[in-house]
Amino acid sequence: MKITDFRLDTYVMKMDRLVGDANLPDGTEMMPGAILRIGTDEGLEGISLGFGTGIAELFPAIEGCDPRDTVHLWKRIRDWLHKAGNEGMASLSFSAIDAALWDLKAKIAGVPLWQLLGGREGRVKAYASGLDYCLSDEDLFRFYRRMAERGVGAGKLKVGLDLKADMRRIGIMQEALSIASDKPELMIDANEYWSARHAIRWMARIEEKFDIVWVEEPAARHDYLGLRQVSDSIRASVASAENLKSLEQVSPLLANRSASILNLSANHSGVTGCRQIAQAAHGFGVSVSMMNCQANFMAHVAAALPNHTMMEVVDPGREHCLTFDNWIEDGHIVMGEAPGFGIGVREDVLAMLQADPPQGKGKFPFPRREGAGLYIVPPQPGEVPWATTQPEE
Amino acid sequence: MNEGPEALDLRVETVTIVPVEGNAEICRLLLGTNVGIVGMSLCDKATGLIAAKLGNSAIAGKDPRAAPALYHALHAADAAPPAIAALDIALWDAKSKTEGVPLWRTLGGSRGPWNVMRGDAKGQAIHVQLEGNLDQDLERIAAAQSAIARKIVEPVIALTFPANWNHPDDAAKVIAHAQAIERHFDIAFIELSLPLDSTGAHLAIGKVIRAALCNGRGFGRISDFRPALECRALDGYLLDVDALGLTGAMVVANAAAAYDLPVLLAPSMGNLALHLCGAMPNFAFAMWDGRLTASGTGRADQSQSVPGLDATLGDDPGIGLEGFS
Ligand SMILES: [Mg+2]
């Protein structure tokens, strides 16, 4: 079997709600989409979802090759990118190609990807993640309660700009999740807004009141010594790595025991790169957590990792032009028997989105907020729909 | 929506061992399944007995396509590593036979050619087992080097230090021996037999010798490698698939890749470890195993070209070791 061609469809979608964090507290409801399809001489096609639009630059590295040799082809692209760097659009495109090839490989074998990768069952523990800095307290409760109604007893809240309000909202998340678990697992995510020392100070105050499972990106992604400092100074685990791209970039975190959890996605150099990092982490005794994605397609990869804890589910409505074969049940993402990632494309909806792009608030990617790592710029009047802490309080 | 074929109900039914004709030491471990596919691995008899017992209690009824998950579950239950390794290899064999492809393709790798290292002059790299007497060891290296030097400009020389230099206190002896050898030869790799957690000794040796320090042969738990990994105490990892299994070897290789360190594969039964080469980001050399090829039939079905300078894998499904002897 040979790889013959590819088709890349880009589009813009409007989600069901805003998503935001400390860097973009007022949030965005708009998101770009890119569907990559890699074709073969036997008609089978591999699909991946992502942001990579530089496919044409990399396609010659795999054209004419057998799509089943996924890791071999991954190494060809990795080496191709060696000098220019596995960064930015090149990295996203590399990731998209690799993921589509794994989808194709599983389709050739006629099995869902979790099975091809050696998982025992198509089932992964889920945690709810609101990307919720832009949600009112009421919407926050509603989101976590809706997830809890599907058995999800773990949640992650965006924090960083207003300690007292953040703590109030951790309590709201805890209360909403309490119908699914006597002791909801609580995580928080500062998205690199704090410095290491700031994280240590505010985590001390948060941990007076809450038992936090992990704090995500409490300091800058590359500050492995700062992350180690935080790890050594708080009770919660430190999670990081979501903005890194490859094992080489993640390795300082492993070598310095900077994080106990690595947040991984298809953007870590594809399925191959993501699995490599997860396996390397396993060698170092570190766990991983799969990040949220459209149609939760990376649950297939998570299901076959030896050290996976739980996967992030956001569910903001990003599947307009997709069909998919998984659902949330008893707090888990459950995958069906459709081969590969189990993703299909609704061509009519895709064509409509391309012909008449929706309009709405905000855009990707999130910028970095003023003050990050230096000082706190609290939410400004009207920036967030929840009660911020006022000086007299 | 993608319509797949009917989901295949695949289960291991029985795990048995059968002797290998003409070789009293080695047996085949066979995983019979409900669909007629048989997963196979080769191991020593003692390991085979334990593996069969373990397999019948813990693997029977399970889908072999979950090979890595089963591997991690067996280790979590603290079963004997070599028996887990034998089961793991047979499970991977069954998994790739189910796909109808050779194991290297199941793993996403490629057929090669891959660098092999032999004790004689047939490879591009030589591997010399030392015995600890300096004069004799220098002669051994010189003989191996002169045999290969005609074909290769800068042959890769790997030395395995004596197996009984296996205590952290042997570091001084290792240093003296290695330094004496490095006065005469450019050595690429030195394999030590110290315990894998002798971090202090590894670091002390590594400071004063030039060759890449390797260790790992015979170690079968992923956690065995953690002390060395966390301190970057080694310059390369010698992975022993017969102890660590294919699944474990892949994990440790990826952990070593965090430092961009090379992986060498220890000799494996029938050289089946070669299937891993293309699926590892950091494979460098495989030590050739002559235990089965010695009988004359070897991997003839499996390897389209055997050393020579390298080894290339063939197209037989699974590990491709059905046809020998
Ligand atoms: Mg995050």
Side-chain angles (χ1 to χ4, degrees):
Chain A
M1 189 178 292
K2 282 191 168 62
I3 296 165
T4 52
D5 60 308
F6 75 90
R7 174 178 164 182
L8 179 70
D9 282 291
T10 59
Y11 63 104
V12 178
M13 69 195 105
K14 184 175 178 177
M15 295 178 281
D16 298 343
R17 65 173 175 87
L18 292 162
V19 297
D21 66 15
N23 287 296
L24 191 69
D26 56 343
T28 175
E29 59 188 344
M30 303 306 295
M31 199 181 118
I35 300 172
L36 173 64
R37 286 177 266 194
I38 293 181
T40 61
D41 56 354
E42 293 181 27
L44 272 177
E45 178 176 86
I47 299 184
S48 70
L49 309 172
F51 304 101
T53 54
I55 310 297
E57 311 292 317
L58 302 176
F59 189 69
I62 62 164
E63 188 169 11
C65 298
D66 192 309
R68 291 171 293 186
D69 301 345
T70 39
V71 181
H72 174 64
L73 297 175
W74 182 92
K75 287 197 273 189
R76 285 179 70 154
I77 301 178
R78 176 199 64 180
D79 293 347
W80 192 315
L81 289 174
H82 175 67
K83 199 72 178 175
N86 178 9
E87 289 285 352
M89 188 48 67
S91 186
L92 292 171
S93 305
F94 177 19
S95 296
I97 289 174
D98 179 77
L101 292 177
W102 278 101
D103 179 60
L104 190 45
K105 185 174 167 74
K107 283 173 179 162
I108 294 165
V111 295
L113 184 58
W114 64 262
Q115 190 165 48
L116 183 90
L117 294 174
R120 266 175 90 165
E121 54 174 5
R123 193 164 180 273
V124 174
K125 183 177 173 182
Y127 76 85
S129 176
L131 309 190
D132 36 32
Y133 231 61
C134 48
L135 298 187
S136 70
D137 287 3
E138 294 71 28
D139 285 343
L140 189 72
F141 183 87
R142 258 182 237 121
F143 168 77
Y144 289 102
R145 180 49 64 94
R146 183 165 66 83
M147 298 298 272
E149 281 163 358
R150 292 191 268 171
V152 179
K156 185 175 81 189
L157 187 83
K158 295 296 187 187
V159 298
L161 305 183
D162 181 336
L163 177 64
K164 285 180 183 160
D166 287 345
M167 286 171 68
R168 178 185 77 231
R169 288 161 65 85
I170 295 171
I172 293 171
M173 172 172 79
Q174 183 179 37
E175 166 65 21
L177 293 171
S178 65
I179 58 164
S181 167
D182 292 342
K183 193 175 180 310
E185 292 167 278
L186 308 176
M187 286 80 77
I188 54 177
D189 189 349
N191 289 91
E192 305 176 281
Y193 191 70
W194 296 335
S195 66
R197 281 292 167 192
H198 198 103
I200 291 167
R201 281 166 40 222
W202 280 20
M203 282 304 293
R205 291 169 64 185
I206 291 170
E207 290 191 323
E208 281 170 14
K209 195 160 172 210
F210 295 103
D211 179 15
I212 301 296
V213 176
W214 80 63
V215 55
E216 201 163 299
E217 296 195 298
R221 68 192 78 172
H222 295 299
D223 184 12
Y224 53 87
L225 294 175
L227 291 166
R228 167 70 187 262
Q229 208 171 28
V230 179
S231 281
D232 288 346
S233 307
I234 66 173
R235 288 200 296 267
S237 293
V238 164
S240 194
E242 75 171 65
N243 290 305
L244 304 177
K245 300 289 176 247
S246 61
L247 179 55
E248 298 90 282
Q249 292 184 4
V250 170
S251 62
L253 301 182
L254 295 173
N256 292 283
R257 279 178 266 177
S258 307
S260 320
I261 308 273
L262 301 182
N263 305 106
L264 299 181
S265 74
N267 291 339
H268 287 81
S269 305
V271 170
T272 304
C274 178
R275 293 178 78 221
Q276 276 181 359
I277 296 170
Q279 295 200 0
H282 192 49
F284 282 82
V286 167
S287 302
V288 301
S289 168
M290 196 62 72
M291 291 170 64
N292 80 85
C293 54
Q294 274 178 292
N296 296 328
F297 71 95
M298 285 297 281
H300 283 270
V301 179
L305 294 174
N307 51 341
H308 185 260
T309 54
M310 46 187 162
M311 176 164 166
E312 179 180 38
V313 174
V314 176
D315 199 19
R318 295 175 290 190
E319 290 79 21
H320 311 78
C321 56
L322 302 173
T323 61
F324 53 98
D325 187 29
N326 66 69
W327 56 94
I328 310 259
E329 187 179 290
D330 294 335
H332 289 72
I333 302 167
V334 182
M335 289 155 270
E337 293 293 332
F341 287 124
I343 294 166
V345 179
R346 296 170 66 187
E347 304 290 355
D348 52 336
V349 181
L350 174 62
M352 242 159 54
L353 288 171
Q354 288 174 323
D356 186 16
Q359 306 288 320
K361 181 183 172 184
K363 68 180 173 71
F364 267 70
F366 289 14
R368 199 175 194 202
R369 184 178 178 83
E370 186 203 334
L374 306 171
Y375 51 86
I376 304 289
V377 178
Q380 302 302 297
E383 204 176 9
V384 291
W386 38 267
T388 55
T389 309
Q390 299 306 310
E392 60 271 19
E393 282 185 43
Chain B
M1 186 49 69
N2 312 291
E3 293 301 331
E6 274 289 287
L8 173 68
D9 174 28
L10 177 62
R11 299 181 304 277
V12 173
E13 287 189 328
T14 54
V15 184
T16 52
I17 50 171
V18 294
V20 168
E21 207 178 309
N23 193 329
E25 306 298 312
I26 298 172
C27 66
R28 291 174 195 267
L29 179 73
L30 302 176
L31 307 188
T33 63
N34 60 322
V35 299
I37 286 167
V38 178
M40 190 196 78
S41 63
L42 294 156
C43 57
D44 65 76
K45 267 192 181 151
T47 299
L49 286 166
I50 301 169
K53 199 173 164 203
L54 178 63
N56 282 312
S57 66
I59 295 296
K62 305 287 198 303
D63 187 334
R65 288 173 294 184
L70 295 168
Y71 172 92
H72 293 295
L74 289 171
H75 269 290
D78 214 18
I84 300 176
L87 288 166
D88 180 62
I89 294 161
L91 286 163
W92 275 106
D93 184 50
K95 181 173 168 72
S96 53
K97 282 172 178 164
T98 308
E99 292 172 21
V101 297
L103 179 58
W104 60 263
R105 176 152 272 163
T106 289
L107 294 168
S110 62
R111 68 173 77 247
W114 302 112
N115 297 328
V116 297
M117 194 174 249
R118 298 176 56 130
D120 57 28
K122 289 183 182 165
Q124 67 164 317
I126 46 174
H127 169 229
V128 183
Q129 173 68 54
L130 304 186
E131 297 189 355
N133 174 300
L134 182 61
D135 291 339
Q136 289 173 8
D137 282 346
L138 288 171
E139 270 174 39
R140 280 186 188 98
I141 301 165
Q145 191 193 36
S146 66
I148 199 174
R150 274 172 261 129
K151 290 185 294 194
I152 305 288
V153 180
E154 293 284 353
V156 171
I157 304 174
L159 306 178
T160 294
F161 273 39
N164 60 353
W165 293 11
N166 56 5
H167 191 277
D169 291 347
D170 291 325
K173 202 154 57 175
V174 168
I175 288 171
H177 208 64
Q179 286 183 320
I181 291 168
E182 286 190 329
R183 277 195 279 279
H184 300 276
F185 298 100
D186 178 17
I187 305 299
F189 300 100
I190 287 179
E191 180 196 358
L192 299 179
S193 304
L194 305 183
L196 212 39
D197 61 358
S198 317
T199 304
H202 283 139
L203 289 170
I205 297 165
K207 231 174 225 169
V208 293
I209 68 164
R210 292 193 290 265
L213 272 196
C214 302
N215 199 340
R217 189 194 300 240
F219 289 92
R221 291 187 178 89
I222 292 164
S223 56
D224 293 336
F225 292 82
R226 231 173 109 181
L229 285 166
E230 287 187 334
C231 298
R232 203 196 177 282
L234 294 168
D235 308 300
Y237 285 82
L238 188 80
L239 303 183
D240 184 345
V241 164
D242 293 341
L244 196 51
L246 293 157
T247 301
M250 193 63 92
V251 169
V252 178
N254 282 313
Y259 299 112
D260 230 344
L261 294 176
V263 161
L264 278 63
L265 293 171
S268 58
M269 208 67 89
N271 292 302
L272 72 95
L274 288 171
H275 284 281
L276 282 175
C277 299
M280 291 174 160
N282 49 352
F283 167 76
F285 292 94
M287 291 180 179
W288 189 252
D289 188 304
R291 279 175 290 182
L292 301 180
T293 43
S295 68
T297 47
R299 310 165 44 87
D301 58 319
Q302 166 69 21
S303 300
Q304 292 174 337
S305 81
V306 185
L309 295 179
D310 44 47
T312 302
L313 295 155
D315 286 315
D316 286 0
I319 60 173
L321 285 174
E322 310 296 328
F324 86 93
S325 123

